[in-house]
């Protein structure tokens, strides 16, 4: 579970900064993510109106106040939304050139991780290998010793992350990303909220309790990951088989884009499912 959740955090933090500047591509199809303020013409439009403006593209998801919305025809775009648009590669790249924020996907340099457990360890190791300056704040002194002897080029700090003086001393305001991965959901959420209010670009929190979902959506945290959801998704990918699923992309830990090969058996199952739902 810890390694699976680490890979999702890493994918969100690093791959969105390096994979063709925010574009996810598979074959002839591409997906681009951008803030609606970069394309303000669509603010106030519903999905049908947007299709007229972008005839060969589809808005597959909207991120609003930390919550992912799968839009339908009457869903309107609001100020502050982040859009996920899919379409043919050439047209998506053309759109990307219009909405691209210079530096948005290339400036990940400093990351602070709260909690030096397995998730914090794996994530720090991967980020450090990528060349990012990482700081881990961990309460347990023995764990700090373990981290310092097993991680290279990672700063290990023994202290309590709820001490704002310590965070300020370690230049929290200069961080490009802030990840809370302690063993306590409440502490993770409170620290994540504090970091978001300080204006840190990417704030990610590890949360195990499903009952906190509504609360998380209202807090504006960029990404809240539940280990159970991540592991379930990972197991499903193996069960369904690599030949069926070419690629998948997790959007803020709440939605997944899946590409499936349309074999006769698969198409028949999809038709049967639609018929069942229509009844």
């Amino acid at each position: 579970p810890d390694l699976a959740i680490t890979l999702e955090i890493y994918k969100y933090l690093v791959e969105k900064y390096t994979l063709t500047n925010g574009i996810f591509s598979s074959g002839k199809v591409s997906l681009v993510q951008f803030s609606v303020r970069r394309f303000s013409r669509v603010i106030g439009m519903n999905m049908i109106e947007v299709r007229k403006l972008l005839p060969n593209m589809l808005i597959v998801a909207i991120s609003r106040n930390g919550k992912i919305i799968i839009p339908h025809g009457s869903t309107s775009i609001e100020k502050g939304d982040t859009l996920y648009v899919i379409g043919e590669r050439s047209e998506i790249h053309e759109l990307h050139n219009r909405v691209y924020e210079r530096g948005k996907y290339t400036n990940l340099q400093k990351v602070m991780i709260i909690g030096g457990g397995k998730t914090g360890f794996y994530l720090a190791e991967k980020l450090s290998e990528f060349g990012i300056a990482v700081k881990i704040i961990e309460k347990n002194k023995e764990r700090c010793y373990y981290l310092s002897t097993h991680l290279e080029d990672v700063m290990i700090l023994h202290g309590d992350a709820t001490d704002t003086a310590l965070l300020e001393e370690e230049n929290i305001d200069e961080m490009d990303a802030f990840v809370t991965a302690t063993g306590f959901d409440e502490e993770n959420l409170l620290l994540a909220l504090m970091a978001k209010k300080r204006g840190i670009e990417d704030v990610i929190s590890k949360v195990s309790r499903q009952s906190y979902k509504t609360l998380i959506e209202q807090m504006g945290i960029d990404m809240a990951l539940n280990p159970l959801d991540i592991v379930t998704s990972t197991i499903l990918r193996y069960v369904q088989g690599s030949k069926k699923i070419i690629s998948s992309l997790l959007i803020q830990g709440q939605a997944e884009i899946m590409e499936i090969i349309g074999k006769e058996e698969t198409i028949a199952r999809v038709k049967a499912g639609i018929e069942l739902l229509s009844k």
Side-chain angles (χ1 to χ4, degrees), residues 195-212:
K196 200 61 191 173
K197 287 190 172 182
R198 283 178 171 267
I200 295 177
E201 181 69 30
D202 287 310
V203 177
I204 299 172
S205 186
K206 177 183 175 184
V207 181
S208 300
R209 289 183 62 177
Q210 196 70 27
S211 58
Y212 284 158

Side-chain angles (χ1 to χ4, degrees), residues 61-106:
I62 298 173
S63 176
R64 181 176 298 162
N65 298 323
K67 179 181 179 181
I68 290 296
I69 300 168
I70 306 301
H72 49 76
S74 61
T75 303
S76 295
I77 297 171
E78 298 180 5
K79 185 179 179 181
D81 286 351
T82 295
L83 306 181
Y84 294 83
V85 182
I86 199 166
E88 288 191 14
R89 183 193 291 262
S90 59
E91 297 192 10
I92 289 295
H93 277 258
E94 188 177 327
L95 174 64
H96 168 260
N97 291 333
R98 295 163 62 185
V99 300
Y100 170 57
E101 292 183 70
R102 187 169 297 279
K104 168 72 175 176
Y105 300 102
T106 55

Side-chain angles (χ1 to χ4, degrees), residues 15 89 93 117 125 127 169 192 215 239 245:
E15 292 188 4
R89 183 193 291 262
H93 277 258
E125 186 176 46
L127 290 174
E169 187 177 314
L215 177 63
V239 171
I245 300 177

Side-chain angles (χ1 to χ4, degrees), residues 27-126:
K28 296 179 180 179
V29 176
S30 292
L31 174 83
V32 65
Q33 168 195 348
F34 61 91
S35 172
V36 73
R37 63 187 171 80
R38 302 293 299 178
F39 196 49
S40 58
R41 290 174 60 189
V42 299
I43 295 176
M45 288 186 176
N46 60 34
M47 295 300 102
I48 297 171
E49 293 168 331
V50 172
R51 286 298 299 273
K52 295 176 182 177
L53 186 63
L54 303 172
N56 298 316
M57 301 178 216
L58 183 67
I59 297 177
V60 293
I62 298 173
S63 176
R64 181 176 298 162
N65 298 323
K67 179 181 179 181
I68 290 296
I69 300 168
I70 306 301
H72 49 76
S74 61
T75 303
S76 295
I77 297 171
E78 298 180 5
K79 185 179 179 181
D81 286 351
T82 295
L83 306 181
Y84 294 83
V85 182
I86 199 166
E88 288 191 14
R89 183 193 291 262
S90 59
E91 297 192 10
I92 289 295
H93 277 258
E94 188 177 327
L95 174 64
H96 168 260
N97 291 333
R98 295 163 62 185
V99 300
Y100 170 57
E101 292 183 70
R102 187 169 297 279
K104 168 72 175 176
Y105 300 102
T106 55
N107 290 338
L108 184 67
Q109 297 176 1
K110 299 178 181 179
V111 176
M112 182 176 285
I113 302 171
I114 309 302
K118 289 182 179 179
T119 301
F121 175 84
Y122 292 143
L123 183 60
E125 186 176 46
K126 287 187 70 65

Side-chain angles (χ1 to χ4, degrees), residues 43 188 235 257:
I43 295 176
N188 287 341
I235 292 172
I257 291 175

